[in-house]
Amino acid sequence: MAAQLYKTDSGRLFHAGAIAIVTVGLPARGKTHVSRSLCRYLRWLGVATQVFSVGNYRRERLGSVVSKAMFDPDNEEAVAKRVAIANECLEDMISWLQTGGGQVGIYDGNNVTVARREEISKRLLAQGIHPLFIESLCDKPEIVFANIKSVKVSSPDYYGWEPEAAVEDYENRIKEHEAYYETINDVSMPFVKLINVGEHLVVNRVQGYLQSRIVYYLMNLHNRPRLIFFARSGMSFNDRSYKVDAELSPEGWEYAEKLKRFIIDYRSHKESPESKSADEERSLSVWTSTQKKSRQTASVFSEENVAVRQYSMLNQLNPGEVDGLTPEEIKQRYPEEMMRAKEDPYRHRFSRAESYHDLAVRLEAIIMELEREKNDVLIIAHETVLRCLYAYLFDRPESQIPQISIRRGTVIVVTPSAYGCKEARLDIQG
């Protein structure tokens, strides 16, 4: 479970019962990307969420290497096997929602026929679970082909395959599903249609606050290639004090110039072709806080015509009474508070201070803006802020957040993908 912004005794949030999100669509339409991204966001909010992938169940039971006949709609034996596996996955999700402490289960499969969706809906409603269907549609061949190349070639189904052979095999699998695909037309059921990975949305019979939050998140989601850079601000004349808000030291200005040169060089020479958008060159923007050392670290990018945005939400965690003190000094002056901080470092706050939980709540708007952004972003901030943002992207538990290490002089390069974010930690001195 990632950092929870909200909690209740029952474990259920927003006066919502159990919800099952059922994905619908042909292969290579972004269903896995939607499932995993939505799961990460809901878990960050504190909603107990889990993805139940029919594809993973199939691989666990039949292995990654399957014959073409397994996806032949005319092969009755193969169809029966796939249906049995899909039903096992569905039943496990229902059991988790009923007795496993879950609130939102995401049933990640194709579910391309009316009959199958009706069967799933009846099964869920009979157990008191609210279904919400999310259909991924795409009428742009270039998007489908880009998705096949960038996502499906790296799918567990194609480990060890030559890229060309994997693309050809997956295109054949799509054609086999197209033969019996039926789009959602039943307006009596709640559904969201995602067209061209979020270019357009159609929403039908979505009710309740949590479901509305899900729709809002989907409105901001996309799968365009981009990079997210994390870097700490440079050293100031009084680096330990939050209240003083000191300006950059000479060493801090030198660091800012090195950071600028590193980011610009990395984007111009070291980006892989796969990370670039097929239709246009991505721009770069720098997001930073309103504190002096962060603003000044980011200011050097303006000289390169890079847009710099300041957000007060990105200000560092307010340490309150312990501002400017070393850990040893805090232990001597506030021994009981230090003990409580060790017991719950995520939620504990010193007098007149913020906790990491307070900071995470403050960053919620930044997280949504980050999901919406389609270009590259460099976030320059204090280590406390970067810890929270890193934990969101990598779905880290809240207990780990205060211990996440982000060293000054290291740039974290995050590459979002359908199967989770990847990271590279690079030294700007190199």
Side-chain angles (χ1 to χ4, degrees), residues 24 58 90 120 155 196 245 284 377 410:
V24 177
R58 170 180 55 77
L90 178 64
I120 293 171
S155 164
N196 294 329
D245 194 19
L284 171 71
V377 177
T410 296

Side-chain angles (χ1 to χ4, degrees), residues 254 256-266 301:
E254 182 181 355
E257 289 292 338
K258 288 181 179 179
L259 176 62
K260 179 185 70 173
R261 289 197 298 270
F262 177 86
I263 295 295
I264 291 174
D265 179 67
Y266 185 91
F301 285 88

Side-chain angles (χ1 to χ4, degrees), residues 279-333:
D279 53 358
E280 60 181 37
E281 192 76 18
R282 295 193 309 271
S283 64
L284 171 71
S285 62
V286 177
W287 299 2
T288 190
S289 75
T290 58
Q291 293 172 292
K292 286 181 183 177
K293 64 180 179 181
S294 293
R295 285 192 290 111
Q296 291 177 340
T297 304
S299 66
V300 298
F301 285 88
S302 299
E303 302 167 1
E304 306 296 329
N305 295 319
V306 174
V308 177
R309 306 179 195 171
Q310 298 174 18
Y311 297 97
S312 61
M313 295 87 80
L314 288 172
N315 288 353
Q316 75 178 81
L317 181 149
N318 185 343
E321 282 190 351
V322 301
D323 180 55
L325 301 181
T326 66
E328 292 74 18
E329 290 171 334
I330 297 172
K331 188 175 181 179
Q332 290 176 356
R333 297 189 191 185

Side-chain angles (χ1 to χ4, degrees), residues 160-277:
W161 283 55
E162 291 294 329
E164 295 79 8
V167 169
E168 181 181 358
D169 183 82
Y170 205 77
E171 287 177 336
N172 290 333
R173 190 182 298 186
I174 293 172
K175 291 177 182 177
E176 289 167 347
H177 282 82
E178 285 176 337
Y180 54 99
Y181 181 77
E182 298 170 311
T183 189
I184 298 178
N185 289 315
D186 184 357
V187 295
S188 67
M189 65 170 53
F191 65 78
V192 177
K193 288 178 182 273
L194 281 173
I195 303 169
N196 294 329
V197 201
E199 285 186 5
H200 306 286
L201 271 78
V202 177
V203 181
N204 181 74
R205 296 180 68 87
V206 173
Q207 299 176 342
Y209 180 73
L210 181 54
Q211 292 92 324
S212 298
R213 289 288 293 260
I214 290 170
V215 171
Y216 177 65
Y217 179 78
L218 294 175
M219 290 173 64
N220 293 282
L221 186 64
H222 66 88
N223 69 344
R224 286 185 55 175
R226 49 147 178 182
L227 297 174
I228 300 169
F229 301 92
F230 288 160
R232 288 179 55 178
S233 52
M235 185 176 294
S236 71
F237 282 107
N238 191 342
D239 216 40
R240 191 178 296 277
S241 177
Y242 169 88
K243 295 177 183 177
V244 171
D245 194 19
E247 296 187 348
L248 281 184
S249 65
E251 294 85 354
W253 283 109
E254 182 181 355
Y255 165 86
E257 289 292 338
K258 288 181 179 179
L259 176 62
K260 179 185 70 173
R261 289 197 298 270
F262 177 86
I263 295 295
I264 291 174
D265 179 67
Y266 185 91
R267 294 185 72 249
S268 62
H269 297 107
K270 297 182 180 180
E271 277 190 319
S272 64
E274 291 80 8
S275 70
K276 292 187 177 181
S277 174

Side-chain angles (χ1 to χ4, degrees), residues 337-355:
E337 284 293 306
M338 196 66 170
M339 289 295 295
R340 283 192 283 268
K342 287 183 177 179
E343 291 173 359
D344 190 358
Y346 176 72
R347 293 183 179 273
H348 177 269
R349 65 172 70 89
F350 288 93
S351 178
R352 295 196 292 275
E354 287 181 302
S355 65

Side-chain angles (χ1 to χ4, degrees), residues 90-140:
L90 178 64
E91 291 303 317
D92 283 353
M93 181 183 70
I94 291 173
S95 176
W96 180 75
L97 288 170
Q98 291 181 323
T99 62
Q103 183 168 11
V104 175
I106 302 177
Y107 185 57
D108 181 14
N110 295 318
N111 305 307
V112 295
T113 66
V114 171
R116 178 60 179 166
R117 293 192 291 269
E118 289 180 347
E119 178 185 353
I120 293 171
S121 183
K122 289 178 182 178
R123 181 77 182 96
L124 294 171
L125 291 171
Q127 301 300 317
I129 300 169
H130 307 289
L132 173 59
F133 292 86
I134 299 179
E135 183 177 17
S136 296
L137 298 167
C138 186
D139 57 14
K140 293 185 176 181

